[in-house]
Tab-separated table of all heavy atoms in Angstrom:
chain	number	residue	atom	x	y	z
A	1	MET	N	-8.608	-1.852	4.264
A	1	MET	CA	-9.181	-1.526	5.563
A	1	MET	C	-9.825	-0.148	5.471
A	1	MET	O	-9.170	0.817	5.095
A	1	MET	CB	-8.058	-1.575	6.608
A	1	MET	CG	-8.502	-1.364	7.996
A	1	MET	SD	-9.505	-2.756	8.484
A	1	MET	CE	-9.777	-2.383	10.167
A	2	ILE	N	-11.076	-0.051	5.796
A	2	ILE	CA	-11.828	1.181	5.619
A	2	ILE	C	-11.262	2.334	6.448
A	2	ILE	O	-11.286	3.485	6.010
A	2	ILE	CB	-13.337	0.966	5.911
A	2	ILE	CG1	-14.150	2.182	5.486
A	2	ILE	CG2	-13.563	0.667	7.377
A	2	ILE	CD1	-14.172	2.427	4.025
A	3	SER	N	-10.718	2.058	7.615
A	3	SER	CA	-10.190	3.157	8.434
A	3	SER	C	-8.982	3.808	7.774
A	3	SER	O	-8.774	5.015	7.913
A	3	SER	CB	-9.839	2.662	9.837
A	3	SER	OG	-8.893	1.625	9.779
A	4	THR	N	-8.200	3.060	7.031
A	4	THR	CA	-7.064	3.633	6.312
A	4	THR	C	-7.553	4.556	5.202
A	4	THR	O	-7.058	5.672	5.049
A	4	THR	CB	-6.191	2.509	5.716
A	4	THR	OG1	-5.814	1.619	6.765
A	4	THR	CG2	-4.947	3.075	5.070
A	5	VAL	N	-8.533	4.108	4.450
A	5	VAL	CA	-9.090	4.922	3.370
A	5	VAL	C	-9.747	6.180	3.940
A	5	VAL	O	-9.617	7.267	3.383
A	5	VAL	CB	-10.102	4.108	2.532
A	5	VAL	CG1	-10.802	4.983	1.510
A	5	VAL	CG2	-9.400	2.958	1.846
A	6	ASP	N	-10.428	6.045	5.054
A	6	ASP	CA	-11.073	7.189	5.687
A	6	ASP	C	-10.044	8.252	6.076
A	6	ASP	O	-10.247	9.445	5.839
A	6	ASP	CB	-11.856	6.731	6.916
A	6	ASP	CG	-12.708	7.828	7.514
A	6	ASP	OD1	-13.382	8.544	6.749
A	6	ASP	OD2	-12.692	7.976	8.751
A	7	ALA	N	-8.930	7.837	6.632
A	7	ALA	CA	-7.879	8.794	7.008
A	7	ALA	C	-7.316	9.513	5.784
A	7	ALA	O	-7.028	10.708	5.835
A	7	ALA	CB	-6.765	8.072	7.758
A	8	ILE	N	-7.176	8.805	4.698
A	8	ILE	CA	-6.651	9.404	3.462
A	8	ILE	C	-7.632	10.431	2.912
A	8	ILE	O	-7.259	11.570	2.620
A	8	ILE	CB	-6.369	8.309	2.405
A	8	ILE	CG1	-5.244	7.389	2.880
A	8	ILE	CG2	-6.031	8.922	1.057
A	8	ILE	CD1	-5.112	6.110	2.082
A	9	THR	N	-8.896	10.050	2.767
A	9	THR	CA	-9.876	10.951	2.168
A	9	THR	C	-10.180	12.152	3.054
A	9	THR	O	-10.425	13.243	2.555
A	9	THR	CB	-11.183	10.211	1.819
A	9	THR	OG1	-11.709	9.592	2.994
A	9	THR	CG2	-10.924	9.161	0.750
A	10	ARG	N	-10.147	11.991	4.353
A	10	ARG	CA	-10.399	13.117	5.264
A	10	ARG	C	-9.291	14.164	5.190
A	10	ARG	O	-9.461	15.281	5.647
A	10	ARG	CB	-10.568	12.636	6.689
A	10	ARG	CG	-11.898	11.972	6.931
A	10	ARG	CD	-12.016	11.499	8.368
A	10	ARG	NE	-13.277	10.843	8.569
A	10	ARG	CZ	-14.322	11.400	9.184
A	10	ARG	NH1	-14.231	12.631	9.638
A	10	ARG	NH2	-15.438	10.734	9.332
A	11	ASN	N	-8.168	13.786	4.618
A	11	ASN	CA	-7.067	14.731	4.441
A	11	ASN	C	-6.997	15.268	3.018
A	11	ASN	O	-6.009	15.868	2.616
A	11	ASN	CB	-5.744	14.078	4.846
A	11	ASN	CG	-5.612	14.018	6.350
A	11	ASN	OD1	-5.353	15.038	6.982
A	11	ASN	ND2	-5.821	12.852	6.933
A	12	GLY	N	-8.060	15.038	2.249
A	12	GLY	CA	-8.147	15.593	0.910
A	12	GLY	C	-7.392	14.833	-0.158
A	12	GLY	O	-7.263	15.303	-1.288
A	13	ALA	N	-6.890	13.672	0.164
A	13	ALA	CA	-6.137	12.881	-0.806
A	13	ALA	C	-7.044	11.825	-1.445
A	13	ALA	O	-8.130	11.546	-0.957
A	13	ALA	CB	-4.943	12.212	-0.132
A	14	THR	N	-6.570	11.250	-2.530
A	14	THR	CA	-7.306	10.199	-3.232
A	14	THR	C	-6.534	8.892	-3.098
A	14	THR	O	-5.386	8.803	-3.539
A	14	THR	CB	-7.449	10.550	-4.730
A	14	THR	OG1	-8.110	11.805	-4.827
A	14	THR	CG2	-8.227	9.483	-5.472
A	15	PRO	N	-7.142	7.869	-2.511
A	15	PRO	CA	-6.439	6.587	-2.385
A	15	PRO	C	-6.345	5.875	-3.735
A	15	PRO	O	-7.254	5.966	-4.560
A	15	PRO	CB	-7.311	5.791	-1.414
A	15	PRO	CG	-8.666	6.386	-1.546
A	15	PRO	CD	-8.465	7.832	-1.904
A	16	VAL	N	-5.235	5.221	-3.957
A	16	VAL	CA	-5.033	4.383	-5.133
A	16	VAL	C	-4.711	2.990	-4.596
A	16	VAL	O	-3.763	2.817	-3.838
A	16	VAL	CB	-3.866	4.907	-6.007
A	16	VAL	CG1	-3.607	3.970	-7.166
A	16	VAL	CG2	-4.171	6.317	-6.494
A	17	PHE	N	-5.507	2.033	-4.982
A	17	PHE	CA	-5.369	0.695	-4.413
A	17	PHE	C	-4.426	-0.179	-5.236
A	17	PHE	O	-4.381	-0.084	-6.452
A	17	PHE	CB	-6.743	0.028	-4.318
A	17	PHE	CG	-7.673	0.765	-3.409
A	17	PHE	CD1	-8.599	1.657	-3.919
A	17	PHE	CD2	-7.600	0.593	-2.040
A	17	PHE	CE1	-9.451	2.349	-3.085
A	17	PHE	CE2	-8.442	1.287	-1.190
A	17	PHE	CZ	-9.371	2.174	-1.713
A	18	VAL	N	-3.693	-1.036	-4.538
A	18	VAL	CA	-2.789	-2.014	-5.149
A	18	VAL	C	-3.329	-3.393	-4.809
A	18	VAL	O	-3.797	-3.627	-3.687
A	18	VAL	CB	-1.348	-1.840	-4.606
A	18	VAL	CG1	-0.429	-2.923	-5.123
A	18	VAL	CG2	-0.813	-0.473	-4.958
A	19	ASP	N	-3.282	-4.315	-5.760
A	19	ASP	CA	-3.770	-5.671	-5.515
A	19	ASP	C	-3.035	-6.328	-4.356
A	19	ASP	O	-1.919	-5.940	-3.993
A	19	ASP	CB	-3.601	-6.538	-6.756
A	19	ASP	CG	-4.680	-6.300	-7.794
A	19	ASP	OD1	-5.775	-5.853	-7.412
A	19	ASP	OD2	-4.417	-6.555	-8.972
A	20	ILE	N	-3.673	-7.345	-3.836
A	20	ILE	CA	-3.101	-8.090	-2.713
A	20	ILE	C	-2.459	-9.381	-3.194
A	20	ILE	O	-2.712	-9.850	-4.303
A	20	ILE	CB	-4.181	-8.423	-1.675
A	20	ILE	CG1	-5.267	-9.311	-2.300
A	20	ILE	CG2	-4.764	-7.162	-1.067
A	20	ILE	CD1	-6.156	-10.007	-1.303
A	21	ASP	N	-1.657	-9.934	-2.331
A	21	ASP	CA	-1.135	-11.287	-2.523
A	21	ASP	C	-2.264	-12.216	-2.060
A	21	ASP	O	-2.697	-12.133	-0.911
A	21	ASP	CB	0.115	-11.484	-1.666
A	21	ASP	CG	0.670	-12.880	-1.730
A	21	ASP	OD1	-0.101	-13.849	-1.891
A	21	ASP	OD2	1.889	-13.011	-1.595
A	22	PRO	N	-2.780	-13.098	-2.919
A	22	PRO	CA	-3.921	-13.928	-2.543
A	22	PRO	C	-3.642	-14.917	-1.413
A	22	PRO	O	-4.578	-15.428	-0.798
A	22	PRO	CB	-4.287	-14.656	-3.835
A	22	PRO	CG	-3.089	-14.578	-4.698
A	22	PRO	CD	-2.343	-13.333	-4.292
A	23	GLU	N	-2.388	-15.163	-1.118
A	23	GLU	CA	-2.067	-16.082	-0.021
A	23	GLU	C	-2.061	-15.386	1.333
A	23	GLU	O	-2.392	-15.999	2.338
A	23	GLU	CB	-0.723	-16.762	-0.278
A	23	GLU	CG	-0.771	-17.740	-1.429
A	23	GLU	CD	0.532	-18.503	-1.596
A	23	GLU	OE1	1.296	-18.631	-0.614
A	23	GLU	OE2	0.783	-18.962	-2.717
A	24	THR	N	-1.674	-14.104	1.368
A	24	THR	CA	-1.563	-13.399	2.643
A	24	THR	C	-2.642	-12.341	2.845
A	24	THR	O	-2.846	-11.878	3.966
A	24	THR	CB	-0.201	-12.683	2.747
A	24	THR	OG1	-0.134	-11.657	1.741
A	24	THR	CG2	0.952	-13.649	2.594
A	25	TYR	N	-3.286	-11.929	1.774
A	25	TYR	CA	-4.269	-10.836	1.772
A	25	TYR	C	-3.633	-9.480	2.094
A	25	TYR	O	-4.320	-8.528	2.406
A	25	TYR	CB	-5.438	-11.115	2.732
A	25	TYR	CG	-6.233	-12.325	2.329
A	25	TYR	CD1	-6.126	-13.504	3.040
A	25	TYR	CD2	-7.064	-12.292	1.215
A	25	TYR	CE1	-6.845	-14.629	2.661
A	25	TYR	CE2	-7.794	-13.411	0.832
A	25	TYR	CZ	-7.669	-14.577	1.567
A	25	TYR	OH	-8.378	-15.688	1.173
A	26	LEU	N	-2.330	-9.408	2.014
A	26	LEU	CA	-1.593	-8.164	2.238
A	26	LEU	C	-1.161	-7.591	0.895
A	26	LEU	O	-1.179	-8.280	-0.121
A	26	LEU	CB	-0.375	-8.413	3.142
A	26	LEU	CG	-0.704	-8.974	4.528
A	26	LEU	CD1	0.569	-9.395	5.234
A	26	LEU	CD2	-1.484	-7.971	5.356
A	27	ILE	N	-0.742	-6.345	0.881
A	27	ILE	CA	-0.348	-5.666	-0.351
A	27	ILE	C	0.726	-6.474	-1.097
A	27	ILE	O	1.649	-7.026	-0.483
A	27	ILE	CB	0.147	-4.241	-0.044
A	27	ILE	CG1	0.306	-3.426	-1.321
A	27	ILE	CG2	1.406	-4.252	0.786
A	27	ILE	CD1	0.550	-1.945	-1.064
A	28	ASP	N	0.575	-6.566	-2.399
A	28	ASP	CA	1.550	-7.247	-3.246
A	28	ASP	C	2.590	-6.207	-3.679
A	28	ASP	O	2.331	-5.382	-4.553
A	28	ASP	CB	0.856	-7.857	-4.458
A	28	ASP	CG	1.779	-8.687	-5.317
A	28	ASP	OD1	3.011	-8.495	-5.258
A	28	ASP	OD2	1.262	-9.526	-6.083
A	29	ALA	N	3.739	-6.227	-3.035
A	29	ALA	CA	4.776	-5.215	-3.268
A	29	ALA	C	5.220	-5.161	-4.729
A	29	ALA	O	5.608	-4.099	-5.215
A	29	ALA	CB	5.977	-5.469	-2.357
A	30	SER	N	5.104	-6.257	-5.448
A	30	SER	CA	5.535	-6.267	-6.851
A	30	SER	C	4.607	-5.452	-7.752
A	30	SER	O	4.936	-5.182	-8.901
A	30	SER	CB	5.629	-7.700	-7.374
A	30	SER	OG	4.348	-8.275	-7.505
A	31	LYS	N	3.471	-5.036	-7.239
A	31	LYS	CA	2.507	-4.283	-8.047
A	31	LYS	C	2.438	-2.806	-7.669
A	31	LYS	O	1.661	-2.056	-8.254
A	31	LYS	CB	1.130	-4.927	-7.923
A	31	LYS	CG	1.130	-6.336	-8.488
A	31	LYS	CD	-0.208	-6.985	-8.384
A	31	LYS	CE	-0.117	-8.385	-8.996
A	31	LYS	NZ	-1.363	-9.099	-8.899
A	32	ILE	N	3.245	-2.385	-6.717
A	32	ILE	CA	3.189	-0.998	-6.242
A	32	ILE	C	3.689	-0.018	-7.294
A	32	ILE	O	3.031	0.986	-7.577
A	32	ILE	CB	3.994	-0.829	-4.936
A	32	ILE	CG1	3.332	-1.611	-3.806
A	32	ILE	CG2	4.139	0.640	-4.568
A	32	ILE	CD1	4.139	-1.660	-2.528
A	33	GLU	N	4.851	-0.272	-7.869
A	33	GLU	CA	5.466	0.696	-8.787
A	33	GLU	C	4.560	1.049	-9.962
A	33	GLU	O	4.566	2.190	-10.426
A	33	GLU	CB	6.819	0.196	-9.267
A	33	GLU	CG	7.863	0.292	-8.167
A	33	GLU	CD	9.254	-0.039	-8.650
A	33	GLU	OE1	9.591	-1.229	-8.675
A	33	GLU	OE2	9.975	0.919	-8.987
A	34	ALA	N	3.754	0.110	-10.428
A	34	ALA	CA	2.849	0.379	-11.547
A	34	ALA	C	1.765	1.394	-11.181
A	34	ALA	O	1.189	2.026	-12.055
A	34	ALA	CB	2.202	-0.920	-12.014
A	35	LYS	N	1.520	1.572	-9.910
A	35	LYS	CA	0.475	2.492	-9.446
A	35	LYS	C	1.019	3.871	-9.060
A	35	LYS	O	0.255	4.785	-8.800
A	35	LYS	CB	-0.250	1.897	-8.238
A	35	LYS	CG	-0.970	0.618	-8.535
A	35	LYS	CD	-2.208	0.890	-9.356
A	35	LYS	CE	-3.008	-0.388	-9.548
A	35	LYS	NZ	-4.386	-0.115	-9.884
A	36	ILE	N	2.320	4.030	-9.022
A	36	ILE	CA	2.922	5.298	-8.615
A	36	ILE	C	2.863	6.295	-9.772
A	36	ILE	O	3.188	5.965	-10.906
A	36	ILE	CB	4.376	5.092	-8.148
A	36	ILE	CG1	4.372	4.273	-6.857
A	36	ILE	CG2	5.089	6.422	-7.937
A	36	ILE	CD1	5.750	3.898	-6.349
A	37	SER	N	2.439	7.516	-9.453
A	37	SER	CA	2.399	8.587	-10.442
A	37	SER	C	3.066	9.825	-9.857
A	37	SER	O	3.522	9.805	-8.713
A	37	SER	CB	0.948	8.906	-10.825
A	37	SER	OG	0.320	9.632	-9.785
A	38	ASN	N	3.059	10.907	-10.621
A	38	ASN	CA	3.661	12.139	-10.109
A	38	ASN	C	2.815	12.752	-8.987
A	38	ASN	O	3.268	13.662	-8.304
A	38	ASN	CB	3.882	13.154	-11.236
A	38	ASN	CG	2.588	13.569	-11.908
A	38	ASN	OD1	1.562	12.903	-11.785
A	38	ASN	ND2	2.645	14.654	-12.629
A	39	LYS	N	1.619	12.246	-8.773
A	39	LYS	CA	0.763	12.724	-7.687
A	39	LYS	C	0.931	11.910	-6.402
A	39	LYS	O	0.396	12.272	-5.362
A	39	LYS	CB	-0.702	12.687	-8.107
A	39	LYS	CG	-1.031	13.657	-9.223
A	39	LYS	CD	-2.503	13.589	-9.551
A	39	LYS	CE	-2.842	14.577	-10.640
A	39	LYS	NZ	-4.283	14.569	-10.927
A	40	THR	N	1.661	10.822	-6.468
A	40	THR	CA	1.837	9.948	-5.307
A	40	THR	C	2.626	10.666	-4.220
A	40	THR	O	3.673	11.242	-4.483
A	40	THR	CB	2.557	8.646	-5.707
A	40	THR	OG1	1.800	7.993	-6.716
A	40	THR	CG2	2.738	7.722	-4.513
A	41	ARG	N	2.102	10.595	-3.000
A	41	ARG	CA	2.761	11.239	-1.864
A	41	ARG	C	3.123	10.253	-0.763
A	41	ARG	O	3.935	10.544	0.098
A	41	ARG	CB	1.871	12.328	-1.267
A	41	ARG	CG	1.577	13.464	-2.230
A	41	ARG	CD	2.862	14.244	-2.539
A	41	ARG	NE	2.629	15.291	-3.517
A	41	ARG	CZ	2.962	15.223	-4.793
A	41	ARG	NH1	3.537	14.141	-5.274
A	41	ARG	NH2	2.737	16.216	-5.609
A	42	ALA	N	2.504	9.082	-0.779
A	42	ALA	CA	2.755	8.107	0.286
A	42	ALA	C	2.384	6.711	-0.176
A	42	ALA	O	1.548	6.535	-1.060
A	42	ALA	CB	1.940	8.462	1.521
A	43	ILE	N	3.015	5.738	0.454
A	43	ILE	CA	2.640	4.337	0.313
A	43	ILE	C	2.233	3.904	1.722
A	43	ILE	O	3.029	4.007	2.654
A	43	ILE	CB	3.809	3.466	-0.182
A	43	ILE	CG1	4.290	3.944	-1.554
A	43	ILE	CG2	3.402	1.989	-0.224
A	43	ILE	CD1	5.598	3.294	-2.002
A	44	ILE	N	1.004	3.461	1.857
A	44	ILE	CA	0.513	3.079	3.181
A	44	ILE	C	0.143	1.595	3.172
A	44	ILE	O	-0.964	1.224	2.786
A	44	ILE	CB	-0.708	3.928	3.591
A	44	ILE	CG1	-0.378	5.415	3.496
A	44	ILE	CG2	-1.170	3.541	4.994
A	44	ILE	CD1	-1.556	6.328	3.751
A	45	PRO	N	1.059	0.729	3.586
A	45	PRO	CA	0.723	-0.687	3.669
A	45	PRO	C	-0.152	-0.935	4.899
A	45	PRO	O	0.006	-0.277	5.923
A	45	PRO	CB	2.074	-1.380	3.805
A	45	PRO	CG	2.966	-0.342	4.381
A	45	PRO	CD	2.455	0.986	3.935
A	46	VAL	N	-1.086	-1.843	4.762
A	46	VAL	CA	-1.946	-2.210	5.882
A	46	VAL	C	-1.511	-3.578	6.382
A	46	VAL	O	-1.418	-4.533	5.617
A	46	VAL	CB	-3.431	-2.241	5.442
A	46	VAL	CG1	-4.317	-2.733	6.574
A	46	VAL	CG2	-3.858	-0.860	4.969
A	47	HIS	N	-1.227	-3.646	7.675
A	47	HIS	CA	-0.917	-4.921	8.315
A	47	HIS	C	-2.254	-5.500	8.772
A	47	HIS	O	-3.068	-4.795	9.364
A	47	HIS	CB	0.034	-4.704	9.488
A	47	HIS	CG	1.254	-3.929	9.124
A	47	HIS	ND1	2.168	-4.368	8.184
A	47	HIS	CD2	1.704	-2.718	9.541
A	47	HIS	CE1	3.138	-3.465	8.064
A	47	HIS	NE2	2.870	-2.463	8.872
A	48	LEU	N	-2.487	-6.772	8.481
A	48	LEU	CA	-3.821	-7.330	8.646
A	48	LEU	C	-3.776	-8.715	9.273
A	48	LEU	O	-2.862	-9.502	8.990
A	48	LEU	CB	-4.464	-7.402	7.252
A	48	LEU	CG	-5.930	-7.623	7.102
A	48	LEU	CD1	-6.740	-6.515	7.773
A	48	LEU	CD2	-6.299	-7.677	5.626
A	49	TYR	N	-4.754	-9.006	10.091
A	49	TYR	CA	-4.908	-10.331	10.708
A	49	TYR	C	-3.675	-10.757	11.495
A	49	TYR	O	-3.307	-11.927	11.526
A	49	TYR	CB	-5.246	-11.396	9.663
A	49	TYR	CG	-6.434	-11.067	8.799
A	49	TYR	CD1	-6.329	-11.075	7.422
A	49	TYR	CD2	-7.654	-10.736	9.372
A	49	TYR	CE1	-7.420	-10.769	6.616
A	49	TYR	CE2	-8.742	-10.419	8.580
A	49	TYR	CZ	-8.624	-10.444	7.211
A	49	TYR	OH	-9.696	-10.136	6.424
A	50	GLY	N	-2.994	-9.798	12.095
A	50	GLY	CA	-1.808	-10.111	12.886
A	50	GLY	C	-0.562	-10.360	12.058
A	50	GLY	O	0.448	-10.798	12.590
A	51	HIS	N	-0.637	-10.079	10.768
A	51	HIS	CA	0.512	-10.281	9.881
A	51	HIS	C	0.994	-8.932	9.350
A	51	HIS	O	0.192	-8.059	9.022
A	51	HIS	CB	0.144	-11.182	8.694
A	51	HIS	CG	-0.305	-12.533	9.113
A	51	HIS	ND1	0.567	-13.519	9.509
A	51	HIS	CD2	-1.551	-13.056	9.235
A	51	HIS	CE1	-0.116	-14.600	9.843
A	51	HIS	NE2	-1.408	-14.337	9.686
A	52	CYS	N	2.289	-8.782	9.243
A	52	CYS	CA	2.871	-7.543	8.728
A	52	CYS	C	3.135	-7.668	7.235
A	52	CYS	O	3.582	-8.717	6.764
A	52	CYS	CB	4.193	-7.240	9.430
A	52	CYS	SG	3.971	-6.855	11.163
A	53	ALA	N	2.878	-6.583	6.527
A	53	ALA	CA	3.232	-6.536	5.105
A	53	ALA	C	4.747	-6.670	4.979
A	53	ALA	O	5.491	-6.339	5.911
A	53	ALA	CB	2.760	-5.220	4.500
A	54	ASP	N	5.203	-7.133	3.844
A	54	ASP	CA	6.638	-7.305	3.593
A	54	ASP	C	7.253	-5.916	3.382
A	54	ASP	O	7.252	-5.380	2.270
A	54	ASP	CB	6.837	-8.193	2.375
A	54	ASP	CG	8.282	-8.592	2.171
A	54	ASP	OD1	9.147	-8.210	2.996
A	54	ASP	OD2	8.554	-9.288	1.176
A	55	MET	N	7.767	-5.330	4.442
A	55	MET	CA	8.192	-3.938	4.420
A	55	MET	C	9.496	-3.693	3.674
A	55	MET	O	9.698	-2.597	3.170
A	55	MET	CB	8.300	-3.404	5.854
A	55	MET	CG	6.964	-3.283	6.546
A	55	MET	SD	5.775	-2.255	5.639
A	55	MET	CE	6.580	-0.671	5.655
A	56	LYS	N	10.363	-4.677	3.564
A	56	LYS	CA	11.647	-4.447	2.893
A	56	LYS	C	11.458	-3.976	1.446
A	56	LYS	O	11.962	-2.919	1.060
A	56	LYS	CB	12.533	-5.677	2.962
A	56	LYS	CG	13.905	-5.428	2.394
A	56	LYS	CD	14.842	-6.591	2.614
A	56	LYS	CE	16.226	-6.147	2.217
A	56	LYS	NZ	16.890	-6.959	1.295
A	57	PRO	N	10.718	-4.707	0.603
A	57	PRO	CA	10.552	-4.219	-0.777
A	57	PRO	C	9.721	-2.939	-0.846
A	57	PRO	O	9.952	-2.097	-1.714
A	57	PRO	CB	9.864	-5.373	-1.499
A	57	PRO	CG	9.284	-6.221	-0.442
A	57	PRO	CD	10.131	-6.031	0.778
A	58	ILE	N	8.780	-2.773	0.065
A	58	ILE	CA	7.972	-1.553	0.078
A	58	ILE	C	8.854	-0.351	0.382
A	58	ILE	O	8.762	0.689	-0.278
A	58	ILE	CB	6.814	-1.676	1.089
A	58	ILE	CG1	5.843	-2.781	0.636
A	58	ILE	CG2	6.098	-0.336	1.259
A	58	ILE	CD1	4.800	-3.160	1.663
A	59	MET	N	9.727	-0.469	1.348
A	59	MET	CA	10.631	0.624	1.695
A	59	MET	C	11.629	0.906	0.568
A	59	MET	O	11.974	2.062	0.321
A	59	MET	CB	11.372	0.323	3.001
A	59	MET	CG	10.475	0.345	4.220
A	59	MET	SD	9.611	1.915	4.445
A	59	MET	CE	10.970	3.024	4.669
A	60	GLU	N	12.084	-0.119	-0.126
A	60	GLU	CA	12.994	0.077	-1.252
A	60	GLU	C	12.315	0.900	-2.353
A	60	GLU	O	12.912	1.797	-2.933
A	60	GLU	CB	13.472	-1.264	-1.795
A	60	GLU	CG	14.462	-1.967	-0.868
A	60	GLU	CD	14.810	-3.386	-1.305
A	60	GLU	OE1	14.245	-3.868	-2.311
A	60	GLU	OE2	15.628	-4.008	-0.621
A	61	ILE	N	11.041	0.592	-2.622
A	61	ILE	CA	10.293	1.354	-3.615
A	61	ILE	C	10.105	2.790	-3.137
A	61	ILE	O	10.296	3.733	-3.902
A	61	ILE	CB	8.933	0.687	-3.885
A	61	ILE	CG1	9.133	-0.671	-4.552
A	61	ILE	CG2	8.036	1.587	-4.728
A	61	ILE	CD1	7.904	-1.566	-4.540
A	62	ALA	N	9.742	2.971	-1.895
A	62	ALA	CA	9.519	4.305	-1.344
A	62	ALA	C	10.782	5.152	-1.389
A	62	ALA	O	10.725	6.351	-1.684
A	62	ALA	CB	8.999	4.196	0.082
A	63	GLU	N	11.912	4.559	-1.116
A	63	GLU	CA	13.170	5.301	-1.122
A	63	GLU	C	13.602	5.712	-2.537
A	63	GLU	O	14.279	6.702	-2.706
A	63	GLU	CB	14.255	4.480	-0.443
A	63	GLU	CG	14.033	4.375	1.070
A	63	GLU	CD	14.933	3.370	1.743
A	63	GLU	OE1	15.771	2.724	1.073
A	63	GLU	OE2	14.783	3.208	2.964
A	64	LYS	N	13.174	4.949	-3.548
A	64	LYS	CA	13.509	5.264	-4.934
A	64	LYS	C	12.705	6.434	-5.467
A	64	LYS	O	13.155	7.152	-6.354
A	64	LYS	CB	13.253	4.063	-5.853
A	64	LYS	CG	14.276	2.981	-5.775
A	64	LYS	CD	14.155	2.016	-6.931
A	64	LYS	CE	12.830	1.318	-6.991
A	64	LYS	NZ	12.778	0.236	-7.989
A	65	THR	N	11.497	6.612	-4.951
A	65	THR	CA	10.595	7.615	-5.515
A	65	THR	C	10.586	8.898	-4.730
A	65	THR	O	11.050	9.039	-3.684
A	65	THR	CB	9.156	7.079	-5.624
A	65	THR	OG1	8.716	6.660	-4.341
A	65	THR	CG2	9.087	5.930	-6.587
């Protein structure tokens, strides 16, 4: 979603994209950890088309890092 990327870049950060689940078009939580680096400061899932991203695994990853 372009508005999410715009908010990130306007704050001086660089977005790093994670592939989607082709069935839901939402972030594929199983691919997040591979994109995390020592520069990572946030994970911003986008809820789309009235559907929520699977927040349980996303929060588990966020709490570990």
Side-chain angles (χ1 to χ4, degrees):
M1 184 67 175
I2 190 66
S3 58
T4 305
V5 174
D6 188 45
I8 295 166
T9 57
R10 285 180 181 257
N11 283 285
T14 302
V16 176
F17 298 97
V18 175
D19 281 335
I20 62 164
D21 176 328
E23 291 185 24
T24 65
Y25 297 106
L26 300 170
I27 191 170
D28 185 338
S30 70
K31 296 180 179 178
I32 294 172
E33 287 187 275
K35 297 287 185 159
I36 293 175
S37 75
N38 61 343
K39 294 182 179 183
T40 302
R41 297 293 177 257
I43 300 170
I44 306 174
V46 175
H47 307 299
L48 194 60
Y49 307 126
H51 299 282
C52 293
D54 189 2
M55 292 304 297
K56 185 173 189 233
I58 295 170
M59 291 303 298
E60 288 172 357
I61 294 165
E63 289 169 1
K64 284 194 299 189
T65 57

